[in-house]
Amino acid sequence: MDDQERQKEAIKLEETLEEIKKQLVISEDNCVVKQSELKETLLNYWEKCGSDEAQLVETANRQRALSSLTHSTPLKLKKMLNSPYFGRIDFIEEDTGMELQEEKVYIGLSTLMDEETGEFLIYDWRAPISSMFYDYGLGQAAYHCSEGNINGKIILKRQYKIANGCMQYMFNADLKIDDEVLQEILGKSVDDKMHTIVNSIQREQNQIIRDANHRALFVEGPAGSGKTSVALHRIAFLLYRDRKSINEKNVLILSPNHLFSDYISNVLPEMGEENVLQKTFHDCVFEAINQLPIKLETRTFHLETVLSNGSDHQQTLRAENIRFKSSRNFENILREYLEWVQTNLVDEYPDIEFRGQVIFKKEEWKHYFLGNLSEMPVKIRLEKIRAVIEGRMRPLFHAVRKEKEAEIVNRAEEVDENTIKALARIAAREEFASFYEKIDRLTKLSPLAEYRRLFKGGWLLARSSNKTDFPKAWQSIQRQTLSYLNNGVLPYEDTPGFIYFQGVLQGFPINRDIKHLIIDEAQDYTRMQYQILVTLFPNSTWTVVGDPAQAVHPFLNTASFTDMSEIIGNEKSIAFRLTRSYRSTKEIQAFCQAILSDKTKVEAINRSGSLPAVTKIENLHEYTPVLIQTIKNILKEGWHSIGIICKNTYQAKKVFWELKEYIDLNLVIDEEDSFHQGIVVIPSYLAKGLEFDAVLVVNADTINFSSEEERHILYTMCTRTLHRLSLFYCGKPSLFLREMDEKLYEITPVCK
């Protein structure tokens, strides 16, 4: 690129910034006008609400929406003043029947048009023509738009770094977003939030973001492959492409915890979009059971319990309980029982009689239950049948009440008419009491009571046709489950099963407004959870992202991507596998992959750094000074974000209080916490999805990491870092370190 070309680009940038400034002044003036109009509309509403309230409310709402839209424009333009565009392609369209003429396509976060000529000065990165920037190098290229496929040729591809309105650098690129951009982005110190990657989206990521042909996308990839970023950018793309049919209220992200939701909360606003709904699975199901006399065991409390290194009988049984409750076998048992309830519950129900008169015949139970009401949940069917019986009883009740009135009059015990009627009503109710108790017994169904009954005695095993689905420890599992339920606690492993059980019996709280659902950390969900989500959100399309290697629950039988596809629907679904990791250096990436027993191919970005350091602590009292010195060394290198990751909360608290006197740091042990910048002490299960400049893994010994189930926990902890990784142990190192090639790390002596 010669000086003349650089001069042209400098002029282009200056002209673009001037246009942005001009439009910013106009849009800010419009904001003032719209704000004034809204104020006047609302004032009229309060003064004239008695005349035509509905019309005034509609006008006010319309004015408010217009005002909100007007206010978003200045915000967008102010962002563009900082960095109006990051890429350019010069494209020549073929087969136009006209003289070939190149189109200079500048690409940024938002669209900018010349308001006088209507010419596109900058294209939104999500626009169809912009897709070529990510998908093609120089040469033949194409994009799809409303008019069909547009073919042509890219004769120039250029990338820019513009900050504070000043050109930092620019260079010509070819097929991929150049490693130089990635190196600069990944070489920086991270801060307290995730950011947009629109200027460095890779070709394989772009395919996922822009996919328009599939109802469900399943994206699997190693730690640092950009799965979450891709999912968030896909949301932004869908909101742009389908803006007439969906908005931010029609999209839901299911995150592993609220800490992670806070961590990703900057990404969509950076792209000019409102944040969409964010919940955890616990949030989705809590409303369904919050009226019940029972508390949900939270995921955080549950994981703390199972990762506490306990080895007593109850802990071993709990692990077996968790494995069983998250298995297909338990799913089969629940389904079998629910099918029986839905078809055979009323088979032995008796005639309903009163004073020798049959009010409701035995055959009618089955007629109603399996007839017109058969499509309804069982609980609602029984309520409808009860209404029929009560309707038939109403004339009898009135007749009995009249009898009682006559008896009271004949006895001449009362002369006041109101008193006679009241006493007669009481007497009639007393006579009907046993009748209604029987009706209650037959028509009232409590899902919680029914679920508790599953774990009482041997009746469930005796009637099941799938006896091989029951584990050997079934009776012990029954006792442990009942112990929790009787103490008013629904164990974490029981939550999906019970929610599904309750939903089938009384109906699910279906939400038809959600049009797109993002499942992050998909590898942590069981089959039953996916069954529930499919039912809760029937109108939704799906983007499901995860990494089986990062499953931090040691005992949970989680759904495979094949399971997910089967449950959500194989029709119009597609699976993507990302194989390149962008987070860690080559050395850290190699170390992390060596922890895993199932070695999948992962391509590391060409970014080198120090080998991971493994330090043996001879005595426990040396732990604190060693950690302090390590932290100081990392800070001297210029890294600011440090994650001190422990296996569980107990260890995290201990480390935090030992370091607090010497180091300025934060303790994060609650999923409701916000993500803090700087030095953070955090348990393994809350660190998922987060990134740090440096990670210190505490207690990487054989006590904490020895069983095969704990291999993925250590892997997840180590993969949180970009630049530096240090592991510390006392006693014997973890088996996963001992079986590793020693060339993958350096043994660091304790500094005296």
Side-chain angles (χ1 to χ4, degrees):
M1 191 187 312
D2 58 27
D3 290 342
Q4 185 178 1
E5 185 67 15
R6 291 183 183 278
Q7 184 63 29
K8 286 181 182 178
E9 287 287 12
I11 294 170
K12 167 68 178 178
L13 177 58
E14 187 177 340
E15 290 174 346
T16 302
L17 292 173
E18 285 303 313
E19 179 65 24
I20 294 170
K21 289 173 185 176
K22 183 177 77 173
Q23 292 191 23
L24 180 58
V25 170
I26 295 170
S27 66
E28 286 179 334
D29 288 343
N30 284 339
C31 282
V32 173
V33 172
K34 295 300 178 187
Q35 191 68 30
S36 176
E37 289 176 357
L38 175 60
K39 202 172 187 180
E40 186 177 346
T41 301
L42 293 174
L43 186 61
N44 288 337
Y45 166 72
W46 291 114
E47 289 178 351
K48 302 176 182 179
C49 62
S51 57
D52 192 347
E53 184 175 354
Q55 183 179 350
L56 283 166
V57 169
E58 182 184 349
T59 303
N61 287 339
R62 188 168 60 247
Q63 197 70 37
R64 188 179 284 109
L66 184 58
S67 177
S68 176
L69 181 62
T70 306
H71 275 75
S72 67
T73 304
L75 294 175
K76 179 189 76 173
L77 291 169
K78 285 175 182 176
K79 285 181 183 176
M80 296 182 78
L81 272 179
N82 176 58
S83 181
Y85 47 84
F86 55 81
R88 167 187 164 185
I89 52 174
D90 289 3
F91 180 67
I92 299 177
E93 186 178 337
E94 293 178 353
D95 303 323
T96 61
M98 301 169 59
E99 183 181 348
L100 296 180
Q101 187 172 0
E102 66 191 58
E103 180 181 4
K104 293 180 174 60
V105 179
Y106 284 83
I107 300 163
L109 275 172
S110 304
T111 298
L112 183 72
M113 296 178 68
D114 187 312
E115 295 192 330
E116 293 181 5
T117 65
E119 176 191 358
F120 278 93
L121 302 177
I122 302 172
Y123 285 87
D124 191 296
W125 68 275
R126 296 165 289 185
I129 196 170
S130 302
S131 65
M132 294 188 293
F133 177 73
Y134 302 106
D135 287 342
Y136 295 97
L138 301 180
Q140 294 299 311
Y143 68 95
H144 184 80
C145 64
S146 56
E147 284 118 25
N149 286 326
I150 307 298
N151 299 300
K153 184 166 64 174
I154 294 175
I155 60 171
L156 182 140
K157 183 174 180 180
R158 185 168 290 167
Q159 291 177 249
Y160 310 89
K161 170 66 183 297
I162 302 172
N164 298 319
C166 297
M167 185 73 72
Q168 305 291 309
Y169 59 74
M170 57 181 145
F171 57 89
N172 292 339
D174 193 2
L175 174 63
K176 56 187 170 54
I177 308 300
D178 197 273
D179 273 348
E180 185 176 337
V181 175
L182 285 172
Q183 293 283 3
E184 188 208 359
I185 293 170
L186 298 174
K188 289 180 177 178
S189 175
V190 299
D191 59 19
D192 60 336
K193 295 287 174 73
M194 182 183 282
H195 295 285
T196 176
I197 60 166
V198 291
N199 59 337
S200 61
I201 293 170
Q202 303 296 289
R203 188 177 189 180
E204 67 275 15
Q205 295 173 332
N206 193 50
Q207 287 181 310
I208 298 167
I209 290 168
R210 294 175 185 266
D211 184 274
N213 301 317
H214 299 92
R215 178 174 177 264
L217 273 68
F218 302 99
V219 184
E220 182 180 336
S225 57
K227 299 181 296 296
T228 300
S229 289
V230 165
L232 292 169
H233 287 69
R234 177 161 173 76
I235 292 174
F237 173 74
L238 293 174
L239 291 172
Y240 174 87
R241 188 196 67 184
D242 303 328
R243 53 189 173 275
K244 292 182 179 178
S245 57
I246 67 170
N247 59 41
E248 68 276 2
K249 294 178 182 177
N250 303 128
V251 180
L252 173 63
I253 300 175
L254 281 190
S255 295
N257 53 62
H258 295 136
L259 175 68
F260 184 74
S261 295
D262 177 62
Y263 178 64
I264 65 175
S265 61
N266 272 5
V267 178
L268 286 169
E270 283 183 358
M271 291 185 280
E273 299 291 348
E274 295 288 331
N275 261 323
V276 298
L277 302 172
Q278 294 192 54
K279 292 185 177 182
T280 64
F281 181 82
H282 181 278
D283 295 332
C284 287
V285 303
F286 178 73
E287 294 176 7
I289 65 171
N290 67 347
Q291 301 299 321
L292 296 178
I294 199 163
K295 291 192 304 183
L296 280 178
E297 181 186 34
T298 66
R299 182 172 183 269
T300 298
F301 184 85
H302 173 79
L303 283 169
E304 182 60 24
T305 301
V306 300
L307 297 178
S308 62
N309 299 335
S311 58
D312 62 11
H313 172 70
Q314 284 301 310
Q315 188 82 342
T316 303
L317 178 60
R318 183 81 191 270
E320 183 67 19
N321 202 335
I322 293 165
R323 290 190 184 98
F324 171 61
K325 298 276 180 61
S326 57
S327 69
R328 275 182 181 259
N329 288 356
F330 186 58
E331 184 182 333
N332 293 339
I333 291 167
L334 282 185
R335 286 185 184 281
E336 183 185 36
Y337 176 69
L338 288 168
E339 286 171 10
W340 179 86
V341 170
Q342 292 179 92
T343 55
N344 303 103
L345 178 67
V346 298
D347 281 0
E348 304 303 320
Y349 275 30
D351 290 339
I352 302 299
E353 299 180 356
F354 182 76
R355 290 184 174 181
Q357 178 182 348
V358 176
I359 308 301
F360 194 81
K361 295 179 181 178
K362 180 177 180 178
E363 307 84 62
E364 288 186 279
W365 285 105
K366 202 160 187 177
H367 169 74
Y368 280 96
F369 194 78
L370 299 179
N372 293 339
L373 305 178
S374 62
E375 297 301 315
M376 298 179 182
V378 171
K379 186 175 180 181
I380 296 176
R381 289 190 232 175
L382 294 175
E383 289 172 355
K384 296 283 187 184
I385 293 173
R386 179 190 178 94
V388 171
I389 296 171
E390 287 178 339
R392 295 182 185 181
M393 286 300 300
R394 205 165 285 119
L396 289 175
F397 182 85
H398 290 308
V400 170
R401 196 182 68 192
K402 290 293 183 184
E403 283 180 18
K404 301 299 182 183
E405 287 179 10
E407 290 175 7
I408 295 170
V409 170
N410 290 337
R411 290 197 301 267
E413 294 175 354
E414 294 288 344
V415 293
D416 181 80
E417 185 177 350
N418 289 335
T419 304
I420 291 171
K421 287 184 176 181
L423 291 172
R425 195 179 298 114
I426 292 170
R429 284 174 181 164
E430 287 176 352
E431 184 169 343
F432 275 83
S434 60
F435 173 85
Y436 279 112
E437 282 176 11
K438 182 177 183 179
I439 298 301
D440 279 348
R441 206 165 50 247
L442 293 172
T443 60
K444 280 196 175 176
L445 186 76
S446 164
L448 182 58
E450 285 296 309
Y451 189 77
R452 182 183 280 113
R453 196 162 74 91
L454 295 177
F455 301 97
K456 290 181 179 178
W459 69 274
L460 185 63
L461 176 60
R463 65 162 302 283
S464 176
S465 60
N466 298 312
K467 291 182 172 54
T468 55
D469 287 341
F470 289 80
K472 292 179 181 179
W474 171 238
Q475 290 185 339
S476 298
I477 287 172
Q478 283 182 293
R479 285 193 294 271
Q480 189 177 69
T481 305
L482 284 174
S483 175
Y484 277 103
L485 295 176
N486 292 337
N487 284 313
V489 175
L490 184 67
Y492 178 80
E493 63 268 24
D494 283 84
T495 301
F498 173 70
I499 292 297
Y500 183 79
F501 188 82
Q502 176 180 255
V504 171
L505 292 180
Q506 73 175 31
F508 290 89
I510 291 172
N511 185 337
R512 300 186 186 279
D513 292 331
I514 298 301
K515 305 291 180 61
H516 194 76
L517 186 65
I518 303 284
I519 309 289
D520 205 345
E521 302 293 349
Q523 74 281 348
D524 292 335
Y525 288 72
T526 65
R527 283 179 51 87
M528 193 66 77
Q529 286 176 293
Y530 282 104
Q531 301 277 7
I532 293 166
L533 292 172
V534 165
T535 308
L536 290 180
F537 307 108
N539 294 345
S540 182
T541 55
W542 299 66
T543 300
V544 183
V545 302
D547 175 16
Q550 294 183 67
V552 297
H553 198 303
F555 310 123
L556 205 65
N557 284 306
T558 53
S560 67
F561 275 65
T562 302
D563 290 330
M564 298 175 206
S565 181
E566 171 195 317
I567 294 165
I568 295 172
N570 289 311
E571 75 288 349
K572 296 201 76 176
S573 69
I574 187 171
F576 292 91
R577 171 152 183 85
L578 299 172
T579 59
R580 196 178 193 197
S581 178
Y582 302 94
R583 179 180 294 145
S584 306
T585 61
K586 290 191 299 183
E587 292 77 10
I588 293 173
Q589 184 65 246
F591 178 88
C592 292
Q593 288 303 307
I595 294 174
L596 299 176
S597 55
D598 180 18
K599 305 293 191 298
T600 55
K601 184 180 178 182
V602 176
E603 180 187 353
I605 190 169
N606 187 25
R607 185 168 68 88
S608 295
S610 304
L611 284 171
V614 177
T615 304
K616 179 177 182 180
I617 309 293
E618 296 293 342
N619 301 300
L620 285 175
H621 69 266
E622 292 181 352
Y623 235 121
T624 299
V626 170
L627 291 177
I628 291 170
Q629 189 57 51
T630 303
I631 291 168
K632 287 181 177 178
N633 290 341
I634 292 170
L635 292 173
K636 282 180 183 177
E637 292 178 13
W639 307 120
H640 308 297
S641 171
I642 302 175
I644 304 171
I645 308 181
C646 305
K647 184 181 179 184
N648 55 42
T649 295
Y650 171 79
Q651 294 178 13
K653 285 181 177 178
K654 190 171 184 297
V655 169
F656 173 76
W657 289 111
E658 288 174 352
L659 293 177
K660 189 176 186 300
E661 185 179 345
Y662 310 99
I663 299 286
D664 182 18
L665 41 62
N666 290 289
L667 176 66
V668 177
I669 56 173
D670 190 329
E671 70 162 49
E672 301 294 336
D673 289 340
S674 297
F675 184 69
H676 295 276
Q677 192 172 10
I679 305 171
V680 175
V681 184
I682 190 169
S684 59
Y685 47 86
L686 289 182
K688 289 188 64 169
L690 307 182
E691 288 185 345
F692 302 92
D693 290 331
V695 162
L696 279 59
V697 176
V698 180
N699 298 325
D701 52 49
T702 191
I703 295 174
N704 283 282
F705 303 101
S706 57
S707 67
E708 194 60 30
E709 295 92 345
E710 292 162 329
R711 186 186 291 274
H712 291 171
I713 301 173
L714 182 61
Y715 169 79
T716 303
M717 295 164 72
C718 292
T719 55
R720 300 305 91 206
T721 185
L722 276 77
H723 309 294
R724 297 288 181 269
L725 175 62
S726 300
L727 296 91
F728 306 87
Y729 70 92
C730 198
K732 286 187 176 182
S734 164
L735 170 66
F736 313 133
L737 297 180
R738 297 202 302 272
E739 64 187 17
M740 189 184 295
D741 186 341
E742 292 185 1
K743 293 179 181 177
L744 294 176
Y745 59 88
E746 60 178 355
I747 299 173
T748 306
V750 174
C751 298
K752 299 294 185 180

